[in-house]
Amino acid sequence: SYVLTQPPSVSVAPGQTAWITCGGDNIGGKSVHWYQQRPGQAPLLVVYDNSARPSGIPERFSGSNSGDTATLTLSRVEAGDEADYYCQVWHNSGDPPVVFGGGTKLTVL
Amino acid sequence: QVQLVQSGAEVKKPGSSVKVSCKASGGTFSSYTISWVRQAPGQGLEWMGRLLPILNMTNYAQKFQGRVTITADTSTSTAYMELSSLRSEDTAVYYCARMVSTHLYYFDYWGQGTLVTVSS
């Protein structure tokens, strides 16, 4: 099965930039999607297809994907961005075909 | 605007079954792909399977094959996930989510989640 690897935690001061990585074998050849999950809430799509933003998601959220690493970038971090973040891909030849990373806890200092 | 509303929390005995519902509003339900994703306490997200009602097509993760059944009633725009032979490790929040099933395969709308507790 395909494995996505995320750092368990990332810390950032308010107003700074946070980078959350998602590693996978040749992940640059896949479309990567990112979800934000605040405590007690359902996941929320924040980036899809590597770098596209759904309606209503601030421009502070951006994504990139190349080689073996995809990255979610949060600029001008706010206290409200503190949450768990998950990457996800579709791996057509594997089981399960929907793969999530293990999640990264973003802490705003 | 699509909205997915799930049934309430359940407490089940080991060995029993649970059936969770997910009622959709907005959009054309029969053309959705609905997936079920679960999250054990303090853990990450785990995909269980999907259903495309218009084709009555299902796919399940091998881990759950034989124990999970995803169905839908298009007349009420409601999807269901039934998990049988429950064990303590199935204690989790179960989410339904609409899956964008073009070549991208991501989840754009999620239900609020249903906590299923398996305990003797």
Side-chain angles (χ1 to χ4, degrees), chain B residues 18-46:
Chain B
V18 67
K19 191 170 185 176
V20 181
S21 67
C22 170
K23 184 170 176 61
S25 59
T28 304
F29 176 75
S30 59
S31 66
Y32 292 2
T33 294
I34 290 288
S35 272
W36 288 87
V37 176
R38 78 176 187 179
Q39 186 171 37
Q43 302 300 309
L45 303 170
E46 182 176 34

Side-chain angles (χ1 to χ4, degrees), chain B:
Chain B
Q1 181 80 352
V2 172
Q3 194 170 13
L4 302 175
V5 178
Q6 299 183 222
S7 50
E10 303 260 13
V11 179
K12 293 292 182 180
K13 301 284 190 190
S16 67
S17 299
V18 67
K19 191 170 185 176
V20 181
S21 67
C22 170
K23 184 170 176 61
S25 59
T28 304
F29 176 75
S30 59
S31 66
Y32 292 2
T33 294
I34 290 288
S35 272
W36 288 87
V37 176
R38 78 176 187 179
Q39 186 171 37
Q43 302 300 309
L45 303 170
E46 182 176 34
W47 183 80
M48 301 178 69
R50 62 173 176 162
L51 167 70
L52 178 55
I54 197 169
L55 298 178
N56 201 29
M57 179 194 79
T58 54
N59 295 110
Y60 302 123
Q62 199 158 4
K63 173 178 179 177
F64 300 101
Q65 196 84 30
R67 281 209 305 144
V68 68
T69 305
I70 299 174
T71 57
D73 181 344
T74 54
S75 68
T76 60
S77 301
T78 303
Y80 300 91
M81 185 283 300
E82 184 169 22
L83 188 63
S84 62
S85 303
L86 290 169
R87 34 210 189 227
S88 59
E89 310 90 88
D90 294 318
T91 293
V93 176
Y94 290 77
Y95 295 101
C96 62
R98 188 177 82 161
M99 185 181 205
V100 174
S101 56
T102 55
H103 62 290
L104 297 177
Y105 299 104
Y106 60 89
F107 305 103
D108 58 352
Y109 293 97
W110 294 70
Q112 83 276 19
T114 297
L115 175 62
V116 175
T117 302
V118 183
S119 174
S120 55

